[in-house]
Amino acid sequence: MKILVINAGSSTIKYQMINMTDESVLVKGLAERIGSKQSKITHKPTGKMPVEFIQPLPDHEAALAIIFKALIDPDCGVVKRYEEIDGIGHRVAMGGDYFKESVLVKETESSKIEEYIELAPLHNPVNLMGIQACQKILPDSLNVAVFDTAFHQSIPAEAHMYAIPYELYEKHAIRKYGFHGTSHKFVALSAADLMAQKIEDLNLITCHLGNGASLCAVKGGKSVDTSMGLTPLEGVPMGTRSGDIDPSIYPFLYNKGYKVEEINKILNSESGVLGVSGVSEDFRDLDEAADEGNERAQLALDVYHYRVAKTIASYLVALGKIDGIVFTAGVGENSGSTRQAICDKLASLGIQLDEELNQTRGKSLIVSSPESKITVMVIPTNEEIMIARDTVEIIKNL
Ligand code: ADP
């Protein structure tokens, strides 16, 4: 089976075609700056020369039309006919509490995804646009939606309810939904393989530390708590997002004359390690600045390490005991110093890293020492494979 995976962002579309016989990637590509005059598509077929399409792309449909043409192009294509594409898996940010797993998208599902635009105004509209463009360009295609929130639907009410008037949950669906679910699920399953144990027997904490960052407590393969909430702003500090703050800071700033949009911008785009350091949102820059003696860069890193470690420790309540901790995504996969600093703060739990193994970057490996009471792992995430696997599961039963 060949599955096309589409991950539509506000001005980008990432795509991959995967041959599910051996899960090999046939092509991957990126359409960027959609909606501007400088838009381009980079199309990289495995074993062939990459191709760039530089032309204005007014919207996602225009970008997908070119991507589809490229897929069957005699030179840079990877299939001869569209019929060879067995299914298309789409990443969708918000599935609310209606979508507990991935689904084939027909009319009802489309309108439900549309309903949730209110909860994910930046993501769901473009995700839906991607699905509708595929349905329009290839009317016979089978489109499956894979939700960032679905894996977290198993989180019990005591962990997903906010302690605010219950009516706000009933009226406006305000509760913790969580994000990065596809990534947390993928690395949790991979961790069980790496530890050579059954996922059902394991209590894991998965740390997706990229530009956005979230942690997840996974008990027996099911999410039982996660750090992001109604929106991806809750939880640990991130590149530019504040993570948890005293909610009163919001009205405090408002009363000081800041407009709602300004406060939103501050908390989403000007906070996190960028906000504290004043240097950068990129951890490589922060490491460099801290090494050169920049105190605020060091402070930003200290705040980050402390808050991630504190969240890990708090999941003892959700899990009872912790068998493994997984680090993934840009920072988690590549930064040995971040993993070390976080684990140092958790030494009282009996966590011990192997300094040499912890230098590893971008490959799956156990990086704790044999004496460590908790197995610490680095596992590169692969949301595309997870989306493709879910798509196969759905369409093979049709
Ligand atoms: P996104 O959430 O956008 O998918 P990624 O998971 O790709 O983000 O993570 C991007 C971040 O990873 C970068 O902003 C950078 O801070 C971090 N990163 C990448 N390589 C390294 C490295 N070698 N050391 C530290 N941080 C790194």
Side-chain angles (χ1 to χ4, degrees):
M1 270 193 177
K2 288 181 185 135
I3 302 294
L4 178 64
V5 176
I6 304 275
N7 182 352
S10 54
S11 65
T12 59
I13 296 177
K14 290 187 206 142
Y15 62 96
Q16 278 190 21
M17 179 96 82
I18 300 174
N19 181 350
M20 296 308 285
T21 323
D22 56 0
E23 295 195 338
S24 58
V25 175
L26 300 171
V27 60
K28 60 168 80 173
L30 171 68
E32 39 191 338
R33 300 190 182 192
I34 298 170
S36 87
K37 289 206 175 83
Q38 290 85 35
S39 35
K40 71 166 182 185
I41 298 176
T42 315
H43 178 85
K44 294 182 179 166
T46 307
K48 294 184 188 172
M49 291 297 284
V51 189
E52 274 191 356
F53 302 93
I54 300 172
Q55 64 186 87
L57 301 167
D59 52 31
H60 287 64
E61 192 181 325
L64 278 169
I66 294 180
I67 292 169
F68 274 115
K69 260 195 208 152
L71 291 175
I72 56 159
D73 184 273
D75 294 324
C76 67
V78 289
V79 287
K80 288 203 176 67
R81 295 169 304 124
Y82 289 131
E83 289 72 28
E84 286 178 50
I85 305 172
D86 295 286
I88 308 177
H90 298 262
R91 180 183 183 187
V92 180
M94 170 56 79
D97 43 19
Y98 180 80
F99 293 108
K100 301 203 182 311
E101 48 197 35
S102 305
V103 289
L104 184 73
V105 184
K106 294 198 188 138
E107 256 169 53
T108 324
E109 290 75 19
S110 275
S111 51
K112 211 63 202 170
I113 295 171
E114 200 169 351
E115 236 175 73
Y116 285 127
I117 284 178
E118 207 186 359
L119 291 178
L122 296 180
H123 297 100
N124 273 34
V126 281
N127 299 155
L128 190 59
M129 226 187 280
I131 296 172
Q132 288 170 340
C134 287
Q135 288 170 330
K136 195 165 159 195
I137 299 169
L138 290 187
D140 292 332
S141 59
L142 297 173
N143 290 275
V144 170
V146 179
F147 300 91
D148 269 16
T149 49
F151 182 57
H152 301 302
Q153 277 296 298
S154 45
I155 295 177
E158 64 179 19
H160 77 231
M161 288 302 294
Y162 293 119
I164 56 174
Y166 194 80
E167 295 72 32
L168 292 176
Y169 164 64
E170 290 181 311
K171 236 194 204 165
H172 304 298
I174 296 176
R175 51 157 283 187
K176 181 189 277 286
Y177 291 101
F179 295 88
H180 291 143
T182 311
S183 173
H184 289 298
K185 185 175 171 187
F186 175 81
V187 295
L189 291 169
S190 307
D193 284 346
L194 200 56
M195 293 172 78
Q197 294 196 48
K198 284 199 201 122
I199 186 81
E200 292 79 14
D201 300 334
L202 285 174
N203 287 350
L204 301 168
I205 296 173
T206 50
C207 310
H208 179 111
L209 309 180
N211 236 329
S214 74
L215 283 79
C216 181
V218 186
K219 196 176 180 63
K222 291 194 159 51
S223 170
V224 290
D225 203 352
T226 193
S227 57
M228 283 180 171
L230 173 75
T231 74
L233 186 57
E234 191 184 341
V236 295
M238 308 173 210
T240 62
R241 284 176 238 165
S242 64
D244 295 340
I245 55 166
D246 181 340
S248 295
I249 294 173
Y250 212 117
F252 182 89
L253 289 174
Y254 184 76
N255 289 332
K256 290 273 176 209
Y258 289 84
K259 297 198 179 76
V260 170
E261 310 80 64
E262 283 171 340
I263 302 171
N264 250 331
K265 188 163 165 249
I266 290 172
L267 298 180
N268 279 288
S269 314
E270 297 168 3
S271 294
V273 290
L274 168 69
V276 177
S277 68
V279 172
S280 170
E281 64 197 76
D282 193 304
F283 282 73
R284 288 163 288 199
D285 300 338
L286 290 175
D287 282 341
E288 209 178 298
D291 284 346
E292 285 165 3
N294 184 316
E295 287 179 13
R296 270 177 56 192
Q298 188 56 55
L299 175 64
L301 290 170
D302 291 344
V303 169
Y304 183 80
H305 299 148
Y306 176 76
R307 293 272 295 279
V308 173
K310 190 165 106 168
T311 307
I312 291 175
S314 76
Y315 287 160
L316 260 180
V317 178
L319 296 174
K321 84 178 197 356
I322 304 165
D323 300 308
I325 297 175
V326 184
F327 287 97
T328 193
V331 183
E333 289 166 27
N334 293 302
S335 174
S337 62
T338 302
R339 296 190 294 259
Q340 187 72 58
I342 293 167
C343 290
D344 282 350
K345 294 195 183 305
L346 295 163
S348 57
L349 297 180
I351 295 178
Q352 231 178 292
L353 290 187
D354 179 311
E355 265 182 45
E356 208 169 298
L357 290 176
N358 187 43
Q359 298 310 312
T360 192
R361 282 182 55 182
K363 62 173 181 192
S364 289
L365 202 69
I366 292 176
V367 295
S368 47
S369 66
E371 301 81 50
S372 183
K373 293 213 174 78
I374 295 174
T375 306
V376 182
M377 291 155 274
V378 175
I379 299 179
T381 193
N382 192 337
E383 287 160 294
E384 286 76 16
I385 283 287
M386 207 67 236
I387 293 172
R389 286 182 195 165
D390 267 22
T391 305
V392 169
E393 277 311 302
I394 303 252
I395 62 176
K396 80 173 187 207
N397 296 320
L398 291 177

